[in-house]
Structure formats: structure tokens, C-alpha cells
Amino acid sequence: MAEGQKPLIGILVWRDGFKFSEPGYFRNLIRAGNRLGAQVFLFSPMDIDTRMRRIRGITPTDTGGWEMRYYPWPETVIDRHRRGGSGYSSIRNSKLFTYANNKFTHKWKVTQMFMQEDSLKRWIPETVEYGQNNLMNMLRKHQLLYIKPGNGTGGSSIVKVKSIGSRYEVSGRDLRQGTRRAILHTKSGLMAWLNHWTVSQRIRNGNFMIQQGLNLDLVPGRVSDTRLLIQKNEEGKWDVTGMGVRTGPVGSATSNLHGGGRAQPFNELMVKSFGAEKAASIRNECERLAFAVVHFIEQEFGSMMEYGLDIGIDTSGKVWLIEVNPKPGREIFKGMGNMELYRKSIERPIQYSMYLARKLRNKEKGVEITEATDEEM
Ligand SMILES: Nc1ncnc2c1ncn2[C@@H]1O[C@H](COP(=O)(O)OP(=O)(O)O)[C@@H](O)[C@H]1O
Ligand SMILES: [Mg+2]
């Protein structure tokens, strides 16, 4: 790519015709790109023409539609493909592009890695694979358990199990975000109910995990947790863009916004629950946790661009890491009414990709200069 030309950034996405999984976000992302002086387009695995070394790229029109045309090879690619599939995997496993975000892995594997990592393990709830013996053990140890898919997202297929005396209260979200409830009076009844759940609600043959449940009812009867967005900035450095609290509907096992959760500023709920001083130290711990997480992930998986962390702050003020999302949403900031943060969270991936493209151009220039010198000698 010649100097002076705009950085060319491709966003790898799933599409079916002009149907996208996050059309609003993609429009905003491309608009932000244009504003910041980059050229940004969407493409999916079927749009790559390796022979002609060109890509069919898609951009929004001014009238709310989409248009398509060929672009040269992008200098950097942001992977925002949120569905699996063989077409996607083979592209992702190839060396066709320079990605802003390296490949990551699913929840169960990551949780296991975090549990074994000295710099992180104090923040990780005890987690084991779903199975009869593990369930019996975990029931003895914890009054509250979460059973969730090892490859889940968006709060689906998650069940909360609460032991009350000799009975078990079960509440969950099925694959379609419907709420499910049951009361089981025996261990074997619970086991049978969960066995059925882990078969009927599983995602693409994935396994389930059993996790120590956290008391997240800072608001009585509801689950509240924290979403923290950490992103690389225009200098390629990690920075916490913002945090917010999500609070689920009364009686819901999850707080996810998809499942009807509400967003509010972090300090609002934390100061009310713990006072200003403790709220500040909790916030600080969340940030330290976030930096430790991305540091570890990059060491294991290579360079990344952004992560959305689900953090549980229990009723005693202890901080726990529930989940790390490699392709996080930004709705939390919109939900909080903080449009400034929302805008920043969308601009940062573009700014970081522009930084990357600049770095690559300089590297190419560097190589050329060295070669020229060699020839002269
Ligand atoms: N161990 C746990 N203790 C308490 N609440 C939990 C636990 N695990 C999950 N949750 C609740 O369920 C929500 C969804 O769980 P999460 O692991 O983030 O799955 P997903 O990928 O579906 O978002 C969390 O945001 C939190 O509200
Ligand atoms: Mg989550």
C-alpha cells in the first residue's frame, strides 16, 4: 500500500446476503472509520478472491442500505465473525491476513487455563466439567452452583441451582432465552433434571461446566454483575475504556442485556452498596484484574485488540472473573446513557487498526531500505 493512502481495514463478519448479525454496530464502525481517515469495509469468507487478490467488500449507503464492490487486499483485518462454520475456520486458520485480534478459544478451556495461572487464580470461581461425581462434590462444597455451556454466549442455556435445606431451587435460561424454573426434592431428581438440561439445551454438541455460584444480589432478588471493556488505543496500548453494571430482571439467573438486564454506571450501585472508599478500591481491583487477564491471554494466544470482561462483585465486595468475551458488545454504554463512552468504544478498534497498518507500512519500508543498502555494498 502506497504512503499517503488511507489505511484499508477489513471487518470479517458472518453474512447472509445483506443480513448481518450486528448491522447497527457495523454501520457505526464504518462511519467511525471514515471519520478517522480510514477506509473500512465488511466481508465474509465467501467474499475473498485469493486468485485476483481482491475482496468483495460491503459498506452502508446513506439511505440505510448496503452496497458492494471490490477492494484491494486489506492491510489489517478485525475478526468480528460470531458464528462458527468450516468456511470461517479455514480462513481464520490460514495466513491470508494480518489480524488485529488473534484466535481465541472457548470458555471451558479458558477457565481451566485461568484456574491454573498464578496471577489470576484468586479471581476465578471453582469450575469443573459437568458430570455426576463432580456435581455431587460441588453440591457438598457450595450452596449455589451455576451450570453453563462451555461454549455459551448471551446468557443462554445457563442454570442456577440453589440448595435450600434438602431441596433444590433451579432457575435458568434456555437456548431461546426463555426462563425455566423447577424445585427438586432429591439429589437424584436434581441430577435427572440437569442431565436432561445438558442434553436438550446444549450448543453444537458442546459440554457443560459446573461453577461455584456467586452471591451477586447487591439488589435483593436480582443478579448484578459488572461489564468492563478493555481495548487497545491508538498507540497500541491497553486501556480500560469503561465499566458498567448490568442488573437482571427479578428472579432471573443472569444479568445479560439480551435477557432483559438493565445497565447503570458502576459507581452508582457500588457506592450505594459499599460506600465511596470501598467502591473505589473494588474498581481499582477490577482494572488490575483486566490488565492481568489481557497480559496472560496475549502471552498464550498472541496479540489481541479488545476484551469484554464479565466480573462478579459478590455481596461481601469480593471480585470474581466470570467470563472474558473476545468479541464484546458495546450496548452497556448506550444502556447507561453514556454516548461518549459508546463512541469511544467504537472508535478504538479503528484507531488501533490504523496504528497497526502504520506499523506494517513502516516495517515494509524498513525492509526495502535494508535491501537497497545490501545491494550497494
Ligand atoms: N458462577 C456464577 N455465579 C453467579 N452468577 C453467574 C455465574 N456464572 C454466570 N453468572 C450469571 O450469568 C451471566 C451469564 O454467564 P456467562 O458465563 O457470562 O455466560 P454468557 O457467555 O452466556 O454471557 C453472568 O453475566 C452472570 O450474571
Ligand atoms: Mg457473559
Side-chain angles (χ1 to χ4, degrees), residues 93-111:
N93 290 328
S94 74
K95 293 215 152 53
L96 283 173
F97 303 111
T98 303
Y99 287 98
N101 48 344
N102 258 289
K103 255 180 20 158
F104 195 50
T105 184
H106 57 81
K107 197 182 296 192
W108 168 234
K109 176 96 183 288
V110 176
T111 308

Side-chain angles (χ1 to χ4, degrees), residues 163-346:
S163 312
I164 305 168
S166 61
R167 66 192 167 92
Y168 303 96
E169 248 181 49
V170 174
S171 61
R173 296 237 166 221
D174 62 22
L175 276 169
R176 291 190 187 78
Q177 293 286 348
T179 44
R180 299 280 195 94
R181 251 163 241 298
I183 293 177
L184 289 314
H185 293 274
T186 58
K187 269 199 170 121
S188 57
L190 174 68
M191 185 83 207
W193 195 94
L194 289 174
N195 280 344
H196 181 254
W197 181 272
T198 55
V199 173
S200 62
Q201 303 301 322
R202 78 175 153 204
I203 303 168
R204 288 190 306 265
N205 278 328
N207 71 342
F208 275 75
M209 52 203 220
I210 308 173
Q211 189 164 68
Q212 162 189 3
L214 312 167
N215 290 310
L216 303 180
D217 45 346
L218 294 176
V219 182
R222 298 177 191 262
V223 166
S224 297
D225 58 36
T226 292
R227 172 50 79 90
L228 178 154
L229 182 66
I230 184 167
Q231 297 178 296
K232 280 195 180 151
N233 63 15
E234 70 284 353
E235 291 170 348
K237 300 214 172 71
W238 286 107
D239 188 36
V240 173
T241 306
M243 297 164 71
V245 172
R246 303 174 301 181
T247 299
V250 173
S252 166
T254 60
S255 72
N256 299 60
L257 301 179
H258 285 300
R262 293 291 211 79
Q264 86 191 96
F266 180 83
N267 282 357
E268 208 173 275
L269 181 61
M270 293 305 152
V271 171
K272 201 157 101 195
S273 307
F274 301 108
E277 203 175 316
K278 183 143 191 214
S281 91
I282 292 174
R283 189 181 187 108
N284 184 279
E285 184 174 348
C286 290
E287 296 193 353
R288 275 186 290 128
L289 159 64
F291 282 103
V293 162
V294 292
H295 179 79
F296 174 70
I297 290 176
E298 287 200 312
Q299 177 189 308
E300 297 295 317
F301 295 92
S303 182
M304 299 293 185
M305 181 184 82
E306 61 179 359
Y307 272 90
L309 273 52
D310 292 340
I311 299 176
I313 291 148
D314 72 18
T315 45
S316 73
K318 189 169 165 23
V319 172
W320 300 88
L321 180 61
I322 297 177
E323 189 197 14
V324 298
N325 298 278
K327 294 168 188 169
R330 281 100 172 104
E331 292 82 17
I332 178 89
F333 302 129
K334 222 192 321 187
M336 275 158 52
N338 193 334
M339 296 316 278
E340 178 74 21
L341 273 188
Y342 183 63
R343 190 180 49 78
K344 194 169 176 184
S345 71
I346 292 171

